[in-house]
Amino acid sequence: GAVVSQHPSRVICKSGTSVKIECRSLDFQATTMFWYRQFPKQSLMLMATSNEGSKATYEQGVEKDKFLINHASLTLSTLTVTSAHPEDSSFYICSARPGWNTEAFFGQGTRLTVV
Amino acid sequence: KNQVEQSPQSLIILEGKNCTLQCNYTVSPFSNLRWYKQDTGRGPVSLTIMTFSENTKSNGRYTATLDADTKQSSLHITASQLSDSASYICVVSGYRGSQGNLIFGKGTKLSVKP
């Protein structure tokens, strides 16, 4: 199956700093990438939908100025958590799919801890 | 409201035993239903995907069923192994605007004990 690589897998940062998470589709071009957040024992919550070359669409309640998404190429999307706070600590997962209703492939996730 | 409900929330079984996980959904219009396995601290991995016309689909020891009339699905695991310990997530794809959207269940946490 297709591979989606997410980096880093774990990151610890100080409160107030920014953290960038990368999501790459390794063997296909992803017109659409998704960013999710998952708190312990909870399901994945969609944060935003990212289409290559256009602005991301954010879900209600997700601050677009805090969670900056860039989808500059068909194989790379980045999520930057700006001015991170301890409450931003969570498991962030991206997914990518080749077409609008095709299979979605998930990255391995990034565990963010803000101290 | 589009929702996906899974049961049980958690399940403990002995190695070698079979088990069945349930998924009920109210997503409309419906496109497809997927089962994912998520190991702790990892991203979900697809097990099966079914459209409304498919009643059953197997992937090794995993067999998923779908009843589009009652909007129910199940995932049956045969001859469980310790490596089956994970969260199993039911995901239903609907339509939103010009794109499909995924509605996630909260998952069933399966623990297989020796």
Side-chain angles (χ1 to χ4, degrees), chain A residues 32 34 36 38 41-46 49 51 57 59 91 93 95 97 100-109 111, chain B residues 9 31-32 34 36 38 40-46 48-49 89 93-96 98-102 104-107:
Chain A
T32 306
F34 303 86
Y36 298 86
Q38 185 178 32
K41 300 183 179 180
Q42 297 293 315
S43 64
L44 280 71
M45 297 297 295
L46 180 65
T49 301
N51 292 302
T57 302
E59 294 299 299
F91 193 56
I93 306 175
S95 75
R97 59 189 187 191
W100 77 272
N101 200 27
T102 58
E103 177 70 64
F105 302 97
F106 288 84
Q108 63 267 47
R111 172 71 61 192
Chain B
Q9 188 174 23
S31 177
N32 55 62
R34 312 148 191 243
Y36 286 89
Q38 185 179 21
T40 301
R42 307 289 292 178
V45 175
S46 179
T48 64
I49 178 171
I89 306 172
S93 179
Y95 290 97
R96 184 174 67 181
S98 61
Q99 297 191 17
N101 65 312
L102 303 181
F104 287 78
K106 292 187 176 182

Side-chain angles (χ1 to χ4, degrees), chain B residues 69-83:
Chain B
D69 291 330
T70 61
K71 299 186 177 181
Q72 296 179 326
S73 176
S74 66
L75 179 69
H76 186 75
I77 304 175
T78 305
S80 61
Q81 300 176 358
L82 298 179
S83 59

